[in-house]
Amino acid sequence: VEDPGEVSALAARVRAGDTRAVARAITLVEEALPESRPLLALLYPHAGDALVVGVTGPPGVGKSSLVDRLTAQLRARGHTVGVVAVDPTSPFSGGAILGDRIRMQAHATDPDVFIRSMATRGHLGGLAAPTADVLTVLAAAGKDVILVETVGVGQDEVEIVEAADVSIVVLVPGLGDELQALKAGIMEIADVFVVNKADREGGERLEAEIRAMLSLAPRPDTPAIVRTVAIRDQGTTALLDAVFEVRSRAAANGGLALKRRLRLRRQLEEAVRQRLMTRVRRRVLPPEDEERLLERLVRRELDPASAADDVVARIGLP
Ligand SMILES: Nc1nc2c(ncn2[C@@H]2O[C@H](COP(=O)(O)OP(=O)(O)OP(=O)(O)O)[C@@H](O)[C@H]2O)c(=O)[nH]1
Ligand SMILES: [Mg+2]
């Protein structure tokens, strides 16, 4: 464990935007090492200004290609950029990491771009908490815009989309079932829809399908739909404009502040929940007790809510 002096020195280097310090800090928070707590406490007050943009969608639709183009455009407009690719090791993406590496190499020597991949493996508690902490590090390091790429449409992705200020959902012509699956979750929270690979047949139809889905789940706002050809850098300026427009509108009408506040409420609740559970286990629910209780739930002698009442009663809170 590093001493407090080392932690504050690391925090200072992160805040100065030192790439190696940022990498080290991210490793600490990703692995939830003990030093990560004081480090995050030091960085948090300085992490308020970054715009977090989520880029999500089914495997292979061109998310990384778009992130690469958006990064280039953001740099051209003078913004510093953080890129977090969550779970590029999913079974779907296969060899995509290599492609991503080659693609992003153009930014590798740019000190104002920081790129990091996070694997889902080993994060049984979900990715929301580690992702939030990585975002804190990047924002404190002075990155103006942080692009977060996630594959798929599962619970993790919904959580990560919720961590974004602006959410982009990427689709391509010819998706079929995957498009139907999207209806349930991410469809409702997307701010911008991208019809990528618009060089292919069916872009127009996909756009009509998205509009039809949106009309089924009426929302207060109308998300933008942008057609792109990422590999030719077509439509990407319009995409970035759409992102900034969502941000400006949300900042003006209070939506952005509300979203961030709700997110912090969830983070607080989750952190309290985890800490309480740790204490409950330590004080009144040793492993063998927990197993016995679970056994009774399995045998349906007791229901989970009553079991929880019983456990909570043991700590004797007023
Ligand atoms: N024709 C065409 N191909 C594209 C376009 N955008 C990306 N591709 C190609 O689609 C493939 C997948 O692109 P990626 O950017 O890796 O897609 P991804 O969504 O990040 O993939 P995963 O991270 O594996 O889910 C690559 O071969 C790209 O070159 C496009 O607009 N048109
Ligand atoms: Mg990718």
Side-chain angles (χ1 to χ4, degrees):
V1 177
E2 295 178 37
D3 69 48
E6 277 180 64
V7 172
S8 55
L10 180 60
R13 281 170 58 214
V14 168
R15 287 194 58 206
D18 178 317
T19 302
R20 286 183 55 196
V22 173
R24 167 125 182 78
I26 290 179
T27 301
L28 291 178
V29 303
E30 232 188 331
E31 292 173 12
L33 297 177
E35 312 89 286
S36 67
R37 293 273 176 76
L39 179 67
L40 286 164
L42 289 169
L43 295 179
Y44 186 79
H46 310 284
D49 293 330
L51 177 70
V52 179
V53 179
V55 179
T56 189
V61 293
K63 299 176 296 294
S64 299
S65 307
L66 284 167
V67 163
D68 169 61
R69 292 295 87 215
L70 290 173
T71 301
Q73 303 229 4
L74 285 162
R75 291 298 297 126
R77 295 188 196 190
H79 299 294
T80 55
V81 183
V83 175
V84 183
V86 181
D87 194 15
T89 54
S90 77
F92 304 110
S93 11
I97 315 169
L98 184 62
D100 288 354
R101 287 229 180 97
I102 293 164
R103 235 190 325 265
M104 295 304 279
Q105 225 150 51
H107 308 294
T109 52
D110 182 345
D112 289 318
V113 177
F114 187 93
I115 300 162
R116 180 66 167 235
S117 297
M118 289 176 65
T120 305
R121 268 197 292 261
H123 286 294
L124 279 177
L127 274 168
T131 304
D133 291 342
V134 170
L135 295 180
T136 296
V137 173
L138 288 172
K143 300 298 174 258
D144 300 325
V145 180
I146 304 169
L147 304 169
V148 185
E149 176 187 342
T150 49
V151 185
V153 291
Q155 186 52 42
D156 268 352
E157 289 72 37
V158 172
E159 280 177 13
I160 290 159
V161 166
E162 283 172 347
D165 296 321
V166 179
S167 302
I168 301 175
V169 169
V170 185
L171 302 170
V172 290
L175 276 177
D177 287 353
E178 281 150 312
L179 189 61
Q180 297 308 311
L182 273 172
K183 240 191 255 184
I186 286 174
M187 208 70 189
E188 283 96 44
I189 30 184
D191 297 299
V192 180
F193 286 92
V194 172
V195 175
N196 189 41
K197 307 199 184 182
D199 51 329
R200 289 186 182 172
E201 201 84 352
E204 226 156 298
R205 211 182 77 201
L206 174 58
E207 199 174 320
E209 279 172 342
I210 296 169
R211 280 188 209 291
M213 278 184 184
L214 288 170
S215 69
L216 288 177
R219 327 173 356 150
D221 54 337
T222 314
I225 304 176
V226 183
R227 273 194 238 176
T228 58
V229 183
I231 48 167
R232 286 190 219 135
D233 209 9
Q234 285 170 9
T236 46
T237 306
L239 174 57
L240 191 54
D241 288 343
V243 166
F244 279 125
E245 208 179 296
V246 169
R247 199 272 310 264
S248 305
R249 210 186 323 129
N253 69 17
L256 184 59
L258 188 67
K259 209 173 188 179
R260 289 178 169 174
R261 195 179 174 87
L262 281 171
R263 190 190 308 157
L264 290 173
R265 189 188 297 281
R266 266 197 307 273
Q267 284 177 18
L268 175 65
E269 267 182 30
E270 185 50 36
V272 170
R273 209 192 314 276
Q274 277 182 11
R275 281 157 180 75
L276 280 179
M277 198 61 207
T278 303
R279 282 182 198 200
V280 163
R281 287 202 167 106
R282 198 184 304 142
R283 299 210 183 158
V284 296
L285 194 62
E288 59 282 10
D289 265 24
E290 191 170 347
E291 291 312 313
R292 257 199 301 276
L293 207 53
L294 277 172
E295 208 39 56
R296 295 185 62 199
L297 298 183
V298 169
R299 288 200 298 264
R300 301 203 173 260
E301 295 167 9
L302 189 66
D303 65 283
S306 303
D309 280 340
D310 181 51
V311 169
V312 170
R314 294 186 205 172
I315 40 178
L317 282 176

